Amino acid sequence: MPNPVVAIVGRPNVGKSTIFNRLAGERISIVDDVSGVTRDRIYAKGEWLGKTFNIIDTGGIDITDEPFMSQIKLQAQVAIEEADVIIFLTCVREGVTDADENVARILYQSDKPVILAVNKVDNPEMRAEIFDFYSLGLGEPYPVSGSHGLGLGDLLDAVVANFPSEEENAEEEGIINFSFIGRPNVGKSSLVNAILGEERVIVSDIAGTTRDAIDTMFVDDEGVKFRMIDTAGIRKKGKVYESTEKYSVMRAIRAIERSDIVMVVLNAEEGIQEQDKKVAGYAHEAGKGIIILVNKWDTLEKDNHTMKEFEDKIRKEFQYLSYAPIMYVSAVTKQRLSNIPAKIKEISENQNRRISSSLLNDVLMDAVAHNPTPSDKGRRLKIYYMTQVAVKPPTFVVFVNDPELLHFSYERFLENRIRDSFDFEGTPFHLIARQKK
């Protein structure tokens, strides 16, 4: 289930970026007293009452001819469209302004839950000044202070209370969800059409044609149900000029969250580019199953060494995806496309694989016998036992005398021994060290 999305909107210089940083728990947005500094929509993850959500910080909305105002208004409108809940941020110092009323008029049309917050209420004496904001017609105003962190708990309570219910978001049982991600124009939409054998998705040579995530259901010969999500291309930040394409990055990330398995699509003609690694990083960090698809393989002149050389480049550039299988395909000739559903099913089984504690500890003891645990400053790591605690992705807890003694290199060694012993192809897994009490 994708995380709910919270958009923070409002006129310039009311403190949206400060509130955004508070909710995200770190300084992500640029904070400056010059109005209009935040020109791009920036997103991060937040958490409250055990619920994780994505936060979008927007540029201010204004109808004046100040620089960047039209672009900022566009981005805010796009964020409003994407959001499940909107925080409308105003400022107690200026009171209700014409710009606030203009923002409110835009929000009336959004048909989304709107939480009205009044920022810079830095002391109790200022709380009496928030009642003027009832005139905006958006319900009870919540007094907050971004600089001091006051009132954010009540604000977040109201935000979380308006999240879509789990029943509304529930995905059907037994369906394998997978998505295509990659830079624009690597052939994602063409692959969707070739797999389905029909023109389900608009295909164009113009980069960035697909600006939304499109779901398609199909069933294979064995009756297994798949949901295929074709996402908009994730474009390098410095090369994005259109607000709708920036918007597509958020959509792609939400599609990754909804996916069980992500197909990272590369362009064989262009080779591996830096942005490919960043795109794949989204899926890896989300703990999703991954297949690397090298599309347009039919366009290359090949000899007996071409595939091996390409694989070596991929393994060198994507070292963190050593577990991901590589498939060389062509949307035009449909080369190897028939193998994709079977590989997806294999990885889905691997994601859900559970290993008994007795088998895990046999592997663990054998690994320690072959490569004794490291020591640091006279203290040696002691490993007591290991157990699996979760799937999708598979997660293992290893109990030790001191987690700090489990060096990264030895952790990697243990991970490799687990992969050598059990089939976890295509899925990342987590190894967590806990101190035995």
Side-chain angles (χ1 to χ4, degrees):
M1 186 175 71
N3 292 328
V5 174
V6 179
I8 306 173
V9 302
R11 62 180 172 82
N13 212 28
V14 293
K16 295 185 298 298
S17 295
T18 304
I19 294 291
F20 174 83
N21 293 333
R22 284 279 184 184
L23 299 186
E26 55 184 309
R27 289 179 63 90
I28 297 171
S29 282
I30 300 169
V31 180
D32 199 302
D33 288 334
V34 179
S35 67
V37 166
T38 305
R39 298 182 189 123
D40 289 342
R41 196 177 50 263
I42 303 170
Y43 55 88
K45 275 189 168 56
E47 186 176 348
W48 187 250
L49 300 179
K51 295 184 181 292
T52 304
F53 52 92
N54 293 333
I55 320 163
I56 307 175
D57 180 23
T58 68
I61 305 174
D62 206 333
I63 59 168
T64 67
D65 292 324
E66 289 181 35
F68 305 104
M69 282 304 106
S70 60
Q71 296 94 320
I72 288 171
K73 182 178 177 181
L74 260 177
Q75 292 187 31
Q77 287 174 324
V78 161
I80 289 168
E81 183 184 333
E82 176 65 13
D84 296 300
V85 180
I86 299 163
I87 297 175
F88 174 23
L89 195 64
T90 59
C91 178
V92 73
R93 294 176 186 171
E94 292 87 10
V96 179
T97 67
D98 290 343
D100 289 329
E101 292 176 351
N102 288 324
V103 174
R105 276 193 284 272
I106 295 174
L107 295 181
Y108 291 150
Q109 303 168 17
S110 69
D111 197 30
K112 300 287 179 70
V114 178
I115 312 298
L116 175 61
V118 184
N119 194 23
K120 305 183 184 179
V121 183
D122 299 331
N123 58 66
E125 291 75 22
M126 302 176 73
R127 295 177 69 93
E129 300 176 31
I130 72 170
F131 295 105
D132 290 344
F133 291 87
Y134 275 101
S135 65
L136 292 171
L138 291 169
E140 179 184 356
Y142 287 81
V144 298
S145 171
S147 57
H148 299 293
L150 302 175
L152 296 182
D154 290 340
L155 176 65
L156 285 170
D157 284 345
V159 168
V160 169
N162 282 279
F163 283 167
S165 67
E166 292 187 7
E167 289 76 17
E168 292 176 47
N169 275 318
E171 301 283 357
E172 295 92 334
E173 293 279 334
I175 297 175
I176 302 176
N177 299 290
F178 68 97
S179 61
F180 294 86
I181 65 169
R183 292 181 293 106
N185 217 28
V186 293
K188 299 182 298 299
S189 297
S190 299
L191 284 168
V192 171
N193 294 335
I195 290 173
L196 293 175
E198 58 181 89
E199 294 296 315
R200 171 63 180 81
V201 181
I202 297 170
V203 181
S204 171
D205 291 333
I206 302 171
T209 298
T210 307
R211 294 203 177 112
D212 207 342
I214 300 171
D215 287 6
T216 308
M217 299 287 297
F218 70 94
V219 181
D220 71 0
D221 295 337
E222 298 177 357
V224 177
K225 294 180 181 179
F226 297 85
R227 176 182 287 107
M228 183 159 50
I229 305 166
D230 174 37
T231 63
I234 304 176
R235 181 174 288 230
K236 191 170 183 179
K237 189 172 182 181
K239 293 184 178 180
V240 177
Y241 303 108
E242 213 179 338
S243 61
T244 47
E245 291 194 7
K246 294 176 183 175
Y247 171 44
S248 73
V249 176
M250 188 67 207
R251 280 283 172 95
I253 291 173
R254 293 196 81 187
I256 289 170
E257 290 174 350
R258 294 178 56 219
S259 301
D260 303 308
I261 296 163
V262 173
M263 323 289 279
V264 177
V265 184
L266 307 179
N267 186 331
E269 293 176 310
E270 298 174 356
I272 301 165
Q273 300 189 16
E274 188 64 29
Q275 184 65 0
D276 290 321
K277 290 184 276 188
K278 293 180 181 178
V279 168
Y282 287 126
H284 173 71
E285 289 168 10
K288 304 299 182 178
I290 294 177
I291 299 173
I292 299 173
L293 286 185
V294 183
N295 190 27
K296 307 185 182 182
W297 189 245
D298 59 303
T299 63
L300 297 188
E301 291 187 12
K302 295 176 282 291
D303 57 30
N304 293 335
H305 307 289
T306 306
M307 187 176 288
K308 179 65 168 62
E309 289 171 356
F310 211 102
E311 179 177 350
D312 290 343
K313 288 178 186 176
I314 290 174
R315 295 306 181 196
K316 180 181 178 182
E317 297 295 333
F318 295 89
Q319 293 184 19
Y320 59 93
L321 294 183
S322 58
Y323 57 85
I326 303 170
M327 300 183 71
Y328 301 87
V329 300
S330 168
V332 174
T333 66
K334 299 191 177 182
Q335 183 181 19
R336 301 188 185 90
L337 293 189
S338 60
N339 299 333
I340 289 178
K343 181 59 70 174
I344 289 173
K345 286 190 289 187
E346 288 177 21
I347 293 175
S348 179
E349 290 174 3
N350 295 344
Q351 287 178 303
N352 290 282
R353 177 164 283 110
R354 287 189 178 272
I355 309 300
S356 69
S357 295
S358 59
L359 281 176
L360 273 177
N361 286 288
D362 286 345
V363 171
L364 179 64
M365 294 302 104
D366 185 62
V368 172
H370 282 83
N371 184 7
T373 56
S375 59
D376 182 37
K377 297 178 182 176
R379 298 186 64 216
R380 179 168 291 280
L381 171 70
K382 292 182 180 178
I383 300 179
Y384 299 108
Y385 63 96
M386 180 190 296
T387 188
Q388 184 174 356
V389 295
V391 295
K392 294 183 69 173
T395 303
F396 305 91
V397 174
V398 55
F399 290 90
V400 298
N401 58 333
D402 184 351
E404 292 186 3
L405 293 175
L406 182 57
H407 190 270
F408 171 78
S409 59
Y410 200 79
E411 181 180 336
R412 179 60 58 84
F413 162 72
L414 292 178
E415 289 179 359
N416 290 337
R417 292 306 293 260
I418 293 172
R419 286 195 182 277
D420 290 343
S421 304
F422 309 104
D423 187 1
F424 286 113
E425 183 189 37
T427 179
F429 64 70
H430 297 154
L431 189 63
I432 302 169
R434 292 267 171 83
Q435 185 170 3
K436 183 184 178 185
K437 297 181 180 179

